[in-house]
Amino acid sequence: MEATAYYPGSVGEIVQGNMSGLDVLASCPVNLYTKVMVFEDSCVYRRQGNYKTNKFMVNILKAWGYEEFSKTLKININSHIPIGKGFASSTADLCALYNALLKLFNRKFNQEELVRECLRIEPTDSIIFERMTLFDYKRGTFKKAIGKYMEFYVLIFEGRNKINTIEFNKKTLPAHDDISDLIPVLIDGVRERNLEKLAFCSTESIIRNQHRLKYDFLDKVLYIMKDIGGIGILGAHSGNCLGIILNDLEKLNYYRNPNNRNELKEYSTYLVKTIGDINRTLQPLS
């Protein structure tokens, strides 16, 4: 008795901030994946998974009336998503786990159930939805689908430090900056498939909220963005990564030259691509 599912992470948030008194975010999934397998193991004392996935599974099994399986079902996670950097690794693990449990018990997908159970664990990324969605990631009181996910490339700069999102969200942090003016621009950008509008919103969002999580290398990333012809940046509002949004991979040729990569050589740098159809990731990856 076992089942496996895959799910993508994200790269920071396109926007995160206060909209008409409510804290919301919207993200895009990227081609970094987690693979979660659920399997039976009669050894009660053998631990698998982690605190978040184990708690999520116990809650789901209890809700479904299968609580007796919580002692024999174990979780194996094989993730290529950086942890504690702002790539929604926990949300991806929980979504993959949920889909694996659906397969295992032959149950139908329930969006409201998934949202509710994820939020019982911690604030949750909007890649939980199959379309780009403005989402109240703390309580789930608001969600607004704004269009199909957009595909584009992001040059990532990943710092060494990790952030525990549960602890981060428990802190007394300064209030989010208001992003109400960015929301109409983002919605138009997504519906028009206009990457420049999306990039404008993501750049403004991360800059406006530096008082909550400061990036010491933000100015350097902005300089590199202009130098290589990027159209904007995005970043993790609770993590340690920034990225340059690209609409043309030819612009990377400059940065791929080793002589031009001294500005942020202490950071891991690599390319990711957002994905337009999140359902594709529910099947094994080729």
Coordinates of all heavy atoms in Angstrom, one line a residue, residues 16 122-124 137-138 163-173 176 212 238:
Q16 N 3.2 40.6 -2.3 CA 2.7 40.3 -1.0 C 2.6 41.7 -0.2 O 3.5 42.5 -0.3 CB 3.7 39.4 -0.2 CG 3.2 39.1 1.2 CD 4.0 38.0 1.8 OE1 4.5 37.1 1.2 NE2 4.1 38.0 3.2
E122 N 0.5 26.1 8.9 CA 1.2 27.4 8.8 C 0.6 28.2 7.7 O -0.2 27.7 6.9 CB 2.7 27.2 8.6 CG 3.0 26.6 7.2 CD 4.5 26.6 6.9 OE1 5.3 27.1 7.7 OE2 4.8 26.1 5.8
P123 N 0.9 29.5 7.6 CA 0.5 30.4 6.5 C 1.0 29.7 5.2 O 2.1 29.1 5.1 CB 1.3 31.7 6.7 CG 1.4 31.8 8.2 CD 1.6 30.3 8.7
T124 N 0.2 29.8 4.1 CA 0.3 28.9 3.0 C 0.4 29.7 1.7 O -0.3 30.7 1.5 CB -0.9 28.0 2.9 OG1 -0.9 27.1 4.1 CG2 -0.9 27.1 1.7
Y137 N -3.2 34.5 2.9 CA -2.4 33.3 3.2 C -2.3 32.9 4.7 O -1.8 31.9 5.0 CB -1.0 33.5 2.7 CG -0.3 34.7 3.3 CD1 0.6 34.5 4.4 CD2 -0.5 36.0 2.9 CE1 1.3 35.6 5.0 CE2 0.2 37.1 3.4 CZ 1.0 36.9 4.5 OH 1.7 37.9 5.1
K138 N -2.9 33.8 5.5 CA -2.8 33.5 7.0 C -4.1 32.8 7.5 O -4.0 31.8 8.3 CB -2.7 34.8 7.8 CG -1.3 35.5 7.5 CD -1.3 36.8 8.3 CE 0.1 37.5 8.1 NZ 0.1 38.8 8.8
I163 N 15.2 30.6 6.8 CA 14.2 31.2 7.6 C 13.1 30.1 8.0 O 12.6 29.5 7.1 CB 13.5 32.4 7.0 CG1 14.5 33.6 7.0 CG2 12.2 32.8 7.7 CD1 14.0 34.9 6.4
N164 N 12.8 30.0 9.2 CA 11.8 29.1 9.7 C 10.5 29.9 9.6 O 10.2 30.8 10.3 CB 12.0 28.7 11.1 CG 10.9 27.7 11.6 OD1 9.7 27.9 11.5 ND2 11.3 26.6 12.3
T165 N 9.6 29.5 8.6 CA 8.4 30.3 8.3 C 7.4 30.3 9.5 O 6.7 31.3 9.7 CB 7.7 29.8 7.0 OG1 7.5 28.4 7.1 CG2 8.6 30.2 5.8
I166 N 7.3 29.2 10.2 CA 6.4 29.2 11.3 C 6.9 30.2 12.4 O 6.1 31.1 12.9 CB 6.3 27.8 12.0 CG1 5.6 26.8 11.0 CG2 5.6 27.9 13.3 CD1 5.5 25.4 11.6
E167 N 8.2 30.2 12.7 CA 8.7 31.2 13.7 C 8.6 32.6 13.2 O 8.3 33.6 13.9 CB 10.1 30.8 14.1 CG 10.3 29.5 14.8 CD 9.5 29.5 16.1 OE1 9.5 30.5 16.8 OE2 8.8 28.4 16.4
F168 N 8.9 32.8 11.9 CA 8.9 34.1 11.3 C 7.5 34.7 11.4 O 7.4 35.9 11.7 CB 9.4 34.0 9.8 CG 9.4 35.4 9.1 CD1 10.5 36.2 9.2 CD2 8.3 35.8 8.3 CE1 10.5 37.4 8.6 CE2 8.4 37.0 7.6 CZ 9.5 37.8 7.8
N169 N 6.5 33.9 11.1 CA 5.2 34.5 11.1 C 4.6 34.6 12.5 O 3.5 35.3 12.7 CB 4.2 33.6 10.3 CG 4.4 33.8 8.8 OD1 4.0 34.8 8.2 ND2 5.1 32.9 8.1
K170 N 5.3 34.1 13.5 CA 4.9 34.3 14.9 C 5.4 35.6 15.5 O 5.0 36.1 16.5 CB 5.3 33.1 15.8 CG 4.5 31.9 15.6 CD 5.1 30.8 16.5 CE 4.2 29.5 16.5 NZ 4.8 28.4 17.3
K171 N 6.5 36.1 14.8 CA 7.1 37.4 15.3 C 6.2 38.6 15.2 O 5.2 38.6 14.3 CB 8.4 37.7 14.5 CG 9.5 36.7 14.7 CD 10.7 37.1 13.8 CE 11.9 36.2 14.0 NZ 13.0 36.6 13.1
T172 N 6.4 39.5 16.0 CA 5.7 40.8 15.9 C 6.4 41.7 14.9 O 7.5 42.3 15.2 CB 5.6 41.5 17.2 OG1 4.9 40.7 18.2 CG2 4.8 42.8 17.1
L173 N 5.9 41.7 13.6 CA 6.6 42.3 12.5 C 5.9 43.6 12.2 O 4.7 43.8 12.5 CB 6.6 41.4 11.3 CG 7.4 40.1 11.4 CD1 7.0 39.2 10.2 CD2 8.9 40.4 11.5
H176 N 2.6 45.2 6.9 CA 2.9 45.2 5.4 C 2.6 46.5 4.8 O 1.7 47.3 5.3 CB 1.9 44.2 4.7 CG 2.4 42.8 4.8 ND1 1.8 41.8 5.6 CD2 3.4 42.1 4.1 CE1 2.5 40.6 5.4 NE2 3.4 40.8 4.5
R212 N 10.2 44.9 6.6 CA 9.8 43.6 7.3 C 10.9 42.6 7.2 O 11.2 41.8 8.1 CB 8.5 43.0 6.6 CG 7.3 43.8 7.0 CD 6.1 43.3 6.2 NE 5.9 41.9 6.4 CZ 5.2 41.3 7.3 NH1 4.7 42.1 8.3 NH2 5.0 40.0 7.4
S238 N 9.4 36.1 3.0 CA 9.8 35.4 4.2 C 10.8 34.3 3.7 O 10.4 33.1 3.6 CB 8.6 34.8 5.0 OG 7.9 33.9 4.2

